[in-house]
Amino acid sequence: MRLLRSADAPDIEEQTGFANWLLQVGEGTVPGPSPDHGISTTIALPPQMVMPANANIDDLIAKVYPDLRYNVGNAQYLSKRAVLCPTNDNVDEVNN
């Protein structure tokens, strides 16, 4: 896995932690909220990655793509953002 790194030490620490967390997710080794405190298929997401339960698709787009209308043609802006969905049905919902 590769992540671009900032020259700023706090950013490097945050990016390293996030990269390690992503690797754990991909490898299925993120500790989850299971009764035996072992590995689970349920993981806790960092708060900044979670939308409120009452949020809608427009809220999600506004959070992930702030000022989208001013950056539609900005490839660098778009390449730094993504909406990940667990199923194709969710992808279809977001894309419509």
Side-chain angles (χ1 to χ4, degrees):
M1 161 179 265
R2 294 183 201 174
L3 287 177
L4 296 177
R5 293 189 178 210
S6 169
D8 186 277
D11 285 345
I12 290 171
E13 185 176 330
E14 182 180 352
Q15 289 177 8
T16 300
F18 183 67
N20 289 334
W21 179 80
L22 282 178
L23 286 171
Q24 287 181 318
V25 169
E27 294 169 350
T29 60
V30 174
S34 60
D36 62 358
H37 303 289
I39 303 303
S40 173
T41 57
T42 302
I43 61 171
L45 294 174
Q48 68 271 21
M49 294 179 70
V50 178
M51 294 292 293
N54 63 347
N56 60 35
I57 295 296
D58 291 334
D59 296 331
L60 174 65
I61 300 303
K63 181 172 178 134
V64 176
Y65 299 98
D67 299 320
L68 177 60
R69 80 168 97 166
Y70 303 113
N71 290 287
V72 166
N74 183 342
Q76 184 176 9
Y77 170 87
L78 295 171
S79 70
K80 293 182 178 185
R81 294 160 172 80
V83 174
L84 302 179
C85 299
T87 67
N88 286 338
D89 288 338
N90 294 128
V91 170
D92 292 340
E93 183 180 350
V94 169
N95 285 336
N96 290 329

